[in-house]
């Protein structure tokens, strides 16, 4: 069994499709204001592993918009709370380069081992309007082709998403470690 420390139900539902033995633990941890998602995850894991002596996952994600020089990036949570999707659409008015990517860093630790981290990314474009009611956060304005990520089921989103990719990379690492041990 692995604990996923997060308050985000959407994230948990997505991760749960990759790890069947996952349990959501909503206990919070300090989010370092850092320049990279990797630093946020490494710092958070130190705090979480000091409190939970079991296998744990934490994950940090961000939206990086090319035409805005990577904004909101590591500030994605704060910007979603303050400007929201309407604010991003407004900022994008007149911006030609609408390419963007989501990045997800998942960190894993268990007692007696060095933590590991895996990255997943997905490229898409920022649409001209919000569409769809599935997913969460920036999903309604992040498009893959002509559909936003809020217009596809979790299973479909997971196949190509940043989180699906980072979680599957961790799963593969854990499965391989298990094979090496047997
Ligand atoms: P955090 O990883 O919880 O810090 O997420 C940063 C911000 O990006 C939050 O506002 C999330 O809602 C948003 N976000 C994270 N992952 C996704 C995703 O898969 N789709 C859309 N928005 C996301």
């Amino acid at each position: 069994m692995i604990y996923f420390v997060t308050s985000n139900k959407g994230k948990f539902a997505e991760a749960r499709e990759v790890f069947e033995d996952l349990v959501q633990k909503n206990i919070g941890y300090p989010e370092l204001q850092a320049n990279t998602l990797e630093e946020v995850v490494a710092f958070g894991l130190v705090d979480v592993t000091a409190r939970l002596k079991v296998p744990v996952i934490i994950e940090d994600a961000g939206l990086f918009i090319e035409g805005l020089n990577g904004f909101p990036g590591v500030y994605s949570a704060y910007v979603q709370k303050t400007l929201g999707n309407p604010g991003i659409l407004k900022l994008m008015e007149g911006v030609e380069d609408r390419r963007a990517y989501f990045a997800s860093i998942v960190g894993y630790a268990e007692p007696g081992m060095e933590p590991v981290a895996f990255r997943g990314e997905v490229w898409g474009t920022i649409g001209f309007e919000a569409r769809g009611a599935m997913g969460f956060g920036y999903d309604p304005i992040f498009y893959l082709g002509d559909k936003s990520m809020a217009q596809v089921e979790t299973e479909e989103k997971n196949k190509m998403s940043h989180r699906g990719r980072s979680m599957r990379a961790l799963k593969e690492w854990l499965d391989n470690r298990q094979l090496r041990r047997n």
Side-chain angles (χ1 to χ4, degrees), residues 3 8 10 20 23 27 35 47 115 124-126 132 139 143 155 162 164 177:
Y3 284 123
N8 185 320
E20 278 147 27
V23 175
I27 56 167
N35 291 324
D47 176 82
T125 53
I126 302 301
D139 282 341
Y143 285 66
E155 197 187 335
H162 50 312
R177 184 180 67 164

Side-chain angles (χ1 to χ4, degrees), residues 8 11 14 31 59-62 76-77 80 102 136-139 149 157 162-163:
N8 185 320
K11 277 189 180 185
E14 290 171 24
E31 281 214 20
E59 190 254 10
D60 200 48
S76 292
Q80 178 62 231
F102 272 120
F136 61 94
Y138 298 101
D139 282 341
M149 253 185 2
K157 176 179 170 182
H162 50 312
R163 185 163 302 104

Side-chain angles (χ1 to χ4, degrees), residues 63-124:
L63 174 67
F64 298 76
I65 303 174
E66 288 285 282
L68 300 179
N69 297 325
F71 183 84
V74 290
Y75 306 108
S76 292
Y78 182 71
V79 170
Q80 178 62 231
K81 257 184 262 146
T82 51
L83 302 178
N85 291 337
I88 293 286
L89 292 178
K90 189 116 192 96
L91 279 178
M92 292 302 288
E93 279 172 16
V95 175
E96 235 166 68
D97 189 354
R98 304 185 75 92
R99 290 174 303 163
Y101 69 92
F102 272 120
S104 155
I105 306 295
V106 58
Y108 173 82
E110 61 186 38
M113 75 166 261
E114 277 293 306
V116 287
F118 298 89
R119 186 180 181 91
E121 287 182 6
V122 60
W123 279 89

Side-chain angles (χ1 to χ4, degrees), residues 41-56:
V41 167
F43 187 79
L45 266 184
V46 171
D47 176 82
V48 167
T49 52
R51 286 184 289 152
L52 296 177
K53 309 285 180 207
V54 294
V56 288

Side-chain angles (χ1 to χ4, degrees), residues 12-20 22 153-156 158:
F12 180 73
E14 290 171 24
R16 183 74 175 36
E17 287 204 355
V18 179
F19 294 97
E20 278 147 27
L22 206 59
E153 301 285 347
T154 304
E155 197 187 335
E156 194 63 25
N158 254 354

